[in-house]
Amino acid sequence: MAIERTLSIIKPDATRRNLTGAINQRFESAGLRIVAQKRLRLTRERAEAFYEVHKERPFYGDLCAFMTSGPVVVQVFEGEDAVAKNREIMGATNPAEAADGTIRKDFAESIEANSVHGSDSAENAKTEIAFFFSDGEIVG
Ligand code: CMP
């Protein structure tokens, strides 16, 4: 296993319910370090660019509208096997399929309002981290 970095987003359904601390606690207690973090409101253009890979999917428009509906918290996590560990702690995309004890099982409202996003590979993590953070904003 290697020390990796991954991008996490706490989504508008979770910031609306004041769950930022509760969600961060799950990641930190599993050994991931939050080495960068900021709260911001995505514009429609930025949401569309971030999720461009899903452009042809039927849920793309609704997803971009949801992601601009309130503040998000974008974060960089660092740790052993951070990409896979983050995904394990989040649980399956659809909360109905998420394992017990995962963030999405416990907090998600729906497949769209599923509380958190995490990069799905080390390669995508690099692109997604660079989308939100400059090198100087990441303090390991
Ligand atoms: P996320 O990990 O942010 O990546 C894409 C998002 O699209 C996903 O989480 C969900 O919030 C959202 N989404 C909405 N509908 C679907 C769907 N049917 N399948 C996959 N993702 C969906």
Side-chain angles (χ1 to χ4, degrees), residues 17-75:
R17 288 174 289 152
N18 218 19
L19 291 170
T20 299
I23 288 172
N24 279 346
Q25 200 270 333
R26 301 277 183 113
F27 292 121
E28 289 191 327
S29 59
L32 292 172
R33 304 186 74 81
I34 303 169
V35 295
Q37 177 168 258
K38 56 192 170 191
R39 181 177 169 107
L40 54 88
R41 185 89 179 238
L42 284 168
T43 62
R44 181 75 187 204
E45 290 71 24
R46 290 281 284 166
E48 288 178 353
F50 183 78
Y51 280 118
E52 194 174 8
V53 63
H54 295 305
K55 199 166 53 186
E56 306 304 329
R57 309 283 290 273
F59 57 80
Y60 179 67
D62 284 348
L63 173 63
C64 293
F66 165 66
M67 290 300 288
T68 59
S69 68
V72 297
V73 179
V74 295
Q75 316 171 291

Side-chain angles (χ1 to χ4, degrees), residues 11 50-51 54 57 59 63 66-67 87 90 93 104 110-114 116-118:
K11 297 188 179 185
F50 183 78
Y51 280 118
H54 295 305
R57 309 283 290 273
F59 57 80
L63 173 63
F66 165 66
M67 290 300 288
R87 294 180 69 75
M90 287 194 299
T93 304
R104 285 166 168 163
S110 66
I111 192 168
E112 177 179 276
N114 63 354
V116 281
H117 165 83

Side-chain angles (χ1 to χ4, degrees), residues 17 32-33 54 89 91-92 101-103 111 113 116 120 126-127 130 133:
R17 288 174 289 152
L32 292 172
R33 304 186 74 81
H54 295 305
I89 298 162
T102 60
I103 289 171
I111 192 168
V116 281
D120 64 4
K126 284 194 176 63
T127 310
F133 295 96

Side-chain angles (χ1 to χ4, degrees), residues 1-4 32 79-86:
M1 285 195 297
I3 300 289
E4 291 177 338
L32 292 172
E80 285 278 343
D81 230 2
V83 174
K85 189 178 275 186
N86 175 42

